[in-house]
Amino acid sequence: MSDAIYPVLRGLSWTVGKQAAFSTLVHSAPDKYEVRISQMRNPIWSFKLIYEFLKDNPLDLQAGLTDTDLRTLMGFYLARNGQFDDFLLEDPTDNYSGPAMLNGAPNPLAELPLVTDGLGNYFSPLQRSLGGFFEDITDLNGGVTVYANGVPTTAFTVEGPGLAVPGASYLGRYLAWNWGLPTPGAPTLTAVAGGALAPTPYFVKVAFVASSGTGAASAEATINVGVGTPAAPVLSAVVAGALAAATYYAKITYVDAFGETLPSAETSLAIAANSVPSVASPAASGDATGYNVYLSTATGTETKQNATPIAIGTAWTAPSTGLIAGSQPPSASTAFGLMVVASPSGAPTGAIGYNVYAGTVAGAETLQNATPIALGTAWTEPTTGLTTTGAAAPTANSYAPPTPITAQFNFYFRVRFESDQQEFENFMNELWTIGGSESKSGSQFLTLVTSRPNPL
């Protein structure tokens, strides 16, 4: 396949013959009922070129020409090996599609289709309109000027030829849209006091939203909100002081940023004289920031022994002076919280909000908001908890460019010579012709036939 351009030479007659052809299978029954099957999406064009003369004057070389018209054409034909190689032809009367805008509005005769592969990728095959018929364009002569709903845009790359999407295929060049919304960073998660939901880990993603689609979801962020009741404490004895022997009863609670949990089950341990009880730290859990210890020497009468929450991972040992009469364990948990998702940053022009996708299992987030959340506004989990019926977090961009999409561009026809032999007739000294009025037969035209890529 060659990108050589057919030369512009003096002597080409004004009338250039042009013929379109299709290929149709026709099956006819004895009763003349016919079934017809089209074999081609685009026509094959035949161009009939007539040269009234082709100059072959050596003096033309002195005028700055690199070669004479005749030798240029003959050399071009020979370089193609006859009909072996294809090349590009600029039809002087049929080489432009457009304009994209007409009287300040999108030109419907320059509109391009918008198709998707179903994976969030959008494309616009480059086609020209001929009275309602749309022909694929295989070769461009220059760039493409594109408008999306009347607004100029460069959010595309020109690719192809050849495009296949579910339900359709195109043989020409196409625009691959880069219109997609950017993927935001992993969301920032916090929590506020409220509700009465069971403690749980949350997994969250966010995505930008525009008027005609949604971007791909962000990376996952996670947070633990709330904490449950701790397990029964583990007691041990530490030699210290001069207290009498006693049996100690203990309970513990978790403390988080919002309050305190219900107490654990009770544990007891007989401690010898001259010793004090020690309570091991409970395991880290949820968003617990510490724990409280409740002790007594009589079952069911434990009171709080520490003035401030004890850090998780640090054991608590009773003072050698004995227990204090602190407060009773809580009868209801106040360690409840609701998750808060901060608005993502870096929103592009055209974004109208964002979506929150959340769940309690990694990778299983679902949509939580019924309408897009305004940019700059945080989303707070409802007191009823997460919904599990929303859509899954999108893995690809579904934001399509606004239509209509119109374009203007110049194009070539990709052609080849129809024959492996061509007659050049000399009718006057230094003047030659191909099918012109001076041709002996008048029938040896130069015929070019469009050559297209193989169907997908």
Side-chain angles (χ1 to χ4, degrees):
M1 179 180 293
S2 168
D3 287 333
I5 300 173
Y6 185 78
V8 177
L9 305 172
R10 297 167 292 181
L12 180 65
S13 68
W14 177 252
T15 301
V16 175
K18 191 172 182 180
Q19 180 180 14
F22 286 95
S23 176
T24 304
L25 295 179
V26 180
H27 294 277
S28 179
D31 62 358
K32 300 306 179 183
Y33 178 81
E34 292 182 340
V35 175
R36 297 172 181 263
I37 302 175
S38 177
Q39 300 294 295
M40 295 169 56
R41 175 187 177 92
N42 298 283
I44 292 294
W45 293 99
S46 295
F47 299 86
K48 186 174 292 185
L49 308 184
I50 300 175
Y51 285 90
E52 294 291 352
F53 60 87
L54 286 168
K55 288 191 175 183
D56 191 31
N57 186 348
L59 294 178
D60 284 343
L61 301 178
Q62 301 177 14
L65 298 179
T66 58
D67 216 332
T68 66
D69 292 340
L70 172 66
R71 293 173 182 273
T72 296
L73 180 56
M74 292 180 67
F76 188 86
Y77 176 79
L78 296 173
R80 306 282 80 75
N81 282 40
Q83 64 175 326
F84 170 74
D85 195 14
D86 54 17
F87 52 94
L88 302 177
L89 172 71
E90 182 180 12
D91 186 336
T93 62
D94 186 11
N95 59 26
Y96 175 74
S97 178
M101 301 292 290
L102 196 61
N103 298 323
N107 180 5
L109 298 180
E111 186 172 347
L112 303 181
L114 181 65
V115 298
T116 180
D117 60 4
L119 301 176
N121 302 305
Y122 288 85
F123 310 96
S124 289
L126 282 177
Q127 298 178 324
R128 65 164 179 156
S129 175
L130 290 170
F133 174 80
F134 295 92
E135 181 181 12
D136 294 334
I137 297 297
T138 59
D139 294 272
L140 290 169
N141 182 4
V144 183
T145 301
V146 182
Y147 291 76
N149 196 22
V151 178
T153 178
T154 58
F156 61 86
T157 56
V158 179
E159 300 183 12
L163 169 67
V165 295
S169 64
Y170 304 87
L171 299 184
R173 307 295 294 273
Y174 62 91
L175 309 181
W177 285 100
N178 305 320
W179 195 270
L181 293 165
T183 301
T188 300
L189 308 179
T190 55
V192 295
L197 299 173
T200 186
Y202 290 100
F203 300 89
V204 183
K205 297 178 180 180
V206 292
F208 287 121
V209 180
S211 58
S212 59
T214 305
S218 68
E220 187 178 71
T222 185
I223 187 175
N224 287 310
V225 179
V227 62
T229 303
V234 176
L235 304 180
S236 61
V238 175
V239 176
L243 297 174
T247 298
Y248 290 88
Y249 298 86
K251 295 179 181 179
I252 58 174
T253 60
Y254 278 124
V255 178
D256 69 3
F258 312 120
E260 189 176 7
T261 68
L262 286 168
S264 68
E266 186 181 72
T267 297
S268 63
L269 180 68
I271 303 292
N274 302 322
S275 295
V276 294
S278 179
V279 181
S281 170
S285 177
D287 61 2
T289 56
Y291 69 102
N292 289 333
V293 172
Y294 296 83
L295 277 177
S296 176
T297 55
T299 182
T301 62
E302 294 88 354
T303 60
K304 186 178 179 183
Q305 299 299 304
N306 51 296
T308 58
I310 308 158
I312 299 293
T314 302
W316 178 87
T317 301
S320 59
T321 54
L323 303 182
I324 63 172
S327 60
Q328 298 290 320
S331 59
S333 177
T334 56
F336 294 121
L338 299 172
M339 177 179 60
V340 178
V341 182
S343 174
S345 60
T349 301
I352 61 173
Y354 70 100
N355 284 341
V356 170
Y357 302 85
T360 57
V361 177
E365 296 86 356
T366 57
L367 180 63
Q368 298 300 308
N369 48 294
T371 58
I373 307 159
L375 293 168
T377 302
W379 178 86
T380 301
E381 176 190 14
T383 57
T384 52
L386 302 180
T387 177
T388 58
T389 59
T395 58
N397 170 70
S398 64
Y399 179 28
T403 55
I405 295 166
T406 55
Q408 60 192 48
F409 51 88
N410 289 84
F411 59 89
Y412 292 110
F413 288 92
R414 181 164 290 277
V415 299
R416 58 175 175 79
F417 291 107
E418 185 183 49
S419 173
D420 276 334
Q421 59 183 14
Q422 181 63 49
E423 181 178 356
F424 297 82
E425 294 188 75
N426 188 338
F427 68 91
M428 187 181 297
N429 185 34
E430 298 174 352
L431 287 177
W432 296 65
T433 185
I434 300 178
S437 59
E438 301 297 332
S439 173
K440 296 177 182 178
S441 64
S443 61
Q444 292 300 314
F445 307 112
L446 187 63
T447 304
L448 312 179
V449 180
T450 52
S451 172
R452 299 192 179 277
N454 292 329
L456 298 176

